[in-house]
Amino acid sequence: MRPLLSALVLLSILPAASRAQLGANGATASFKGSLPPKPTSALDPEKEAGYSRLVDRLQAEFEEVRKHPRSADAAIFLKALRYAIDFDEWYDKKPEDSEKKVLELINEAKKRIFDLKRNETPWLKGAGNKVLGFYSKIDDSAQPYGVEIPEGLEIGAKEIPMWIWLHGRGDTATDLAFVYSKLKATKPGQFRPQGTIVIHPFGRYCNGWKSAGEIDVLECRDDAIAHFKVDVNRIALAGFSMGGAGAWHMGAHYADQWAVVHTGAGFVDVKRYQKLTPEKMPVAYEQTLWGLYDVPDYARNFLNVPLISYSGEQDAQRDSAEYMMEVLGKEGLKPPHLIGAGMGHKYHPETIKEVQALVEKAVEKGRELFPNEIHIQTKTALYGRMKWMNLHGLEESWKDARLDAKVAGAQGIEIQTKNVSRIVFYPPPQVRKGGDKVTVKIDGSELSLTIGPEMPKFETFMSTGPKVAGGFCRLIKENGKWRDFGNAQPFQHEGPEGGKPSAHPGLMDTSFMKRFLVVLPDGKSSSAAVDAWVEAESSHFITRWRSLMRGDARVVKASEIKDVYEAGKTQSLILWGTPESNSCIKALAKSLPFKWDAKDLSPLNPVGNHPALDASTHVPLLTYPALKSAGFEVVINSGLTFREAHDRTNSLQNPKLPDWAILDITQAPSAESAGKVVEAGFFDEKWQVK
């Protein structure tokens, strides 16, 4: 065996990767033409119908226990069966093998429903592999995840560490296959950390751990924390291949959530990974939108969390890790990059031991909630929070923004910024010891701020964070100068005058990362063509959300919304139609940045006159904070903006449209777009058309 090459390997030592990472069309090798793919060996229609009737009967039984705290542990089986039947998700070589999985899930669903009726949960007890569920806050869907509990680990006796393992791409790994594999698993996964549970998020199937997929990771983490008494400061994030890409992405974008991040292979950006030359580049705004997920644009965040990378010596995806080592090196970081000698796209059996030892060491040390230094790099306020500091607003979104803060004595904080307009921070304990004032030196200015009340449960500070009136200090930049915004009131969220906050910094796609409600038309418009397009595209989104994001979107008609402002306080509203056909859009029409009536459609451009477009053949797609409520917004006439053609590789499952667009619907929808884009753009930081 060749000598083991481990941490900090020089890039010049090893040969270049020997095989292509993607096909000639930029698709992943496993792609079978669609997500989910067509069936490999379909079930007999009569048998399938029989299973469907049985699932319906089980669903009726399940309704009796739906309110049980662990009912999601049973719901995941019913959902897996229903989706498999509805989408013909039969991927075994022989129909009887698929039927075996169906029967296993039916029997387990029966058992769990029976036990829940008796208020018992025997599947939670003991060591070994388990499959559990939770209800997502996004759409109330039951989402599965796997858990490994090592022998001898006593749950509940004390707080324990946890690893989160992100799986690789699996085009046929839908709910049925995932739930079955975790139910029948008898062996532990790639890593076997001592005294530690390992959870396996589903990630909403196959989306590169982005969008609802990343929220799935956070939600199943929180479910496991609550049930298994996990130490929130000793959680490791790790993954390989698509999971490695997910670890890169979630490690950089949520760096404050982990004790350590381990990336095994995985892409980190679009342009380099797709090998895009100038003639292949998409439109400018789509290139700008790569800044939502491209990891190099968030590299500096790894100053906040230990990072351990692995690549096979001969793996084409090693290029991405080496590229990140170059980017990180420019930020003063030199994390371990272990190389598996002679390996392709898999772990070396000896190197994996080194990886585990390094991760376990970092987990044992744990996450530091209140470090003396914090570093933030982002292109959107959506990903602006880091431990006790929040880059709350940018001077210009989608351009590089940075914030570096450090504690300077018992009553001081020093902050350096670039392209930042608003900051919210929680004075850490080492500053609070100095009294009720803090001196902030920021970009050459000095301010004295009053410290608000201490947070009672700040030690968790997970995905949502605590809320205490006046607990945060706030800074705002006006006319090039910073001032104290005060901590007695929040930043304004009421529409354009409030600017783009971290809760809603723009992009239609980001509204599907939190709770949303689809609102369909309750009438007709003057254009039969527009009505037909709205009906087809809203239906397309609802089906696509189900097939790709594995949840049933919550849907109502506009007539069911008594007060659109009240309905928008706790959820994003996805409104389909026009002011004529949708009463909710009509109620908001005057607050939207468009002239839009039965005849004409055009953005309200503050500079010059904008020629109107024919409203009978054009529709607007946009996101806008028209609800005047903190953190929620409306989206009009759009679902996810990446479509079926982009599923061929997870690197392309990114937003394809900016804050607003106008489509010519005389061009029929396709696998790449919902129509011909005639105009598109970003709103500025005051929500005005640029």
Side-chain angles (χ1 to χ4, degrees), residues 31-102:
F31 185 56
K32 299 180 183 298
S34 64
L35 291 179
K38 302 297 182 184
T40 302
S41 185
L43 268 60
D44 177 80
E46 289 189 11
K47 284 189 175 182
E48 189 174 77
Y51 292 136
S52 181
R53 289 190 294 270
L54 184 52
V55 172
D56 288 342
R57 289 198 293 270
L58 282 172
Q59 186 68 48
E61 279 192 57
F62 170 78
E63 295 305 319
E64 298 178 34
V65 298
R66 178 181 288 277
K67 293 183 179 180
H68 191 284
R70 295 304 312 181
S71 70
D73 293 346
I76 56 175
F77 292 89
L78 300 178
K79 183 189 131 198
L81 290 162
R82 173 53 56 202
Y83 280 33
I85 293 168
D86 289 353
F87 291 112
D88 286 326
E89 295 168 354
W90 315 120
Y91 303 122
D92 291 294
K93 292 182 179 179
K94 297 181 293 183
E96 50 264 39
D97 291 332
S98 292
E99 290 185 55
K100 178 183 177 182
K101 293 177 180 177
V102 169

Side-chain angles (χ1 to χ4, degrees), residues 40 89 289 311-312 348 367 577 623 649:
T40 302
E89 295 168 354
L289 294 175
S311 299
H348 189 288
R367 176 180 64 154
T623 181
T649 164

Side-chain angles (χ1 to χ4, degrees), residues 63-321:
E63 295 305 319
E64 298 178 34
V65 298
R66 178 181 288 277
K67 293 183 179 180
H68 191 284
R70 295 304 312 181
S71 70
D73 293 346
I76 56 175
F77 292 89
L78 300 178
K79 183 189 131 198
L81 290 162
R82 173 53 56 202
Y83 280 33
I85 293 168
D86 289 353
F87 291 112
D88 286 326
E89 295 168 354
W90 315 120
Y91 303 122
D92 291 294
K93 292 182 179 179
K94 297 181 293 183
E96 50 264 39
D97 291 332
S98 292
E99 290 185 55
K100 178 183 177 182
K101 293 177 180 177
V102 169
L103 292 172
E104 285 283 355
L105 266 63
I106 287 174
N107 289 333
E108 185 65 21
K110 286 180 179 179
K111 291 177 185 177
R112 294 195 179 189
I113 292 171
F114 176 77
D115 288 327
L116 287 170
K117 287 180 180 180
R118 299 189 302 170
N119 197 28
E120 295 179 358
T121 53
W123 59 87
L124 291 173
K125 299 176 182 178
N129 293 280
K130 305 177 185 301
V131 58
L132 307 180
F134 66 91
Y135 292 115
S136 175
K137 295 175 183 177
I138 295 178
D139 55 12
D140 295 335
S141 62
Q143 298 297 330
Y145 70 99
V147 184
E148 296 177 43
I149 303 176
E151 291 289 343
L153 181 61
E154 188 177 350
I155 300 298
K158 62 178 181 178
E159 289 188 334
I160 57 175
M162 180 170 76
W163 285 33
I164 300 174
W165 178 256
L166 308 183
H167 62 73
R169 177 165 176 139
D171 289 31
T172 60
T174 55
D175 293 66
L176 179 70
F178 181 87
V179 171
Y180 179 83
S181 69
K182 301 307 176 188
L183 179 67
K184 305 300 290 183
T186 58
K187 297 180 180 179
Q190 298 248 29
F191 291 94
R192 306 178 185 184
Q194 295 293 314
T196 302
I197 69 168
V198 179
I199 67 170
H200 298 259
F202 181 45
R204 299 254 180 167
Y205 178 34
C206 189
N207 51 60
W209 305 100
K210 296 175 285 190
S211 187
E214 68 194 72
I215 306 305
D216 187 83
V217 176
L218 301 175
E219 289 191 318
C220 84
R221 172 205 63 183
D222 292 347
D223 188 74
I225 287 171
H227 181 74
F228 296 106
K229 198 176 179 180
V230 171
D231 184 343
V232 298
N233 294 319
R234 291 192 292 155
I235 298 175
L237 177 72
F240 189 83
S241 194
M242 183 183 83
W248 276 117
H249 151 52
M250 294 200 68
H253 290 72
Y254 299 92
D256 64 337
Q257 300 294 294
W258 326 113
V260 59
V261 174
H262 166 56
T263 60
F267 63 89
V268 296
D269 72 334
V270 178
K271 181 180 177 181
R272 186 183 180 96
Y273 186 66
Q274 282 285 315
K275 295 182 173 63
L276 294 179
T277 51
E279 69 276 7
K280 296 180 180 179
M281 296 288 276
V283 294
Y285 58 74
E286 186 177 334
Q287 296 177 49
T288 297
L289 294 175
W290 293 341
L292 182 65
Y293 289 124
D294 274 5
V295 180
D297 293 335
Y298 297 80
R300 193 167 177 79
N301 295 336
F302 282 113
L303 289 166
N304 304 286
V305 61
L307 170 66
I308 299 152
S309 290
Y310 168 85
S311 299
E313 180 183 8
Q314 302 296 331
D315 189 358
Q317 293 199 27
R318 175 184 162 194
D319 174 75
S320 293

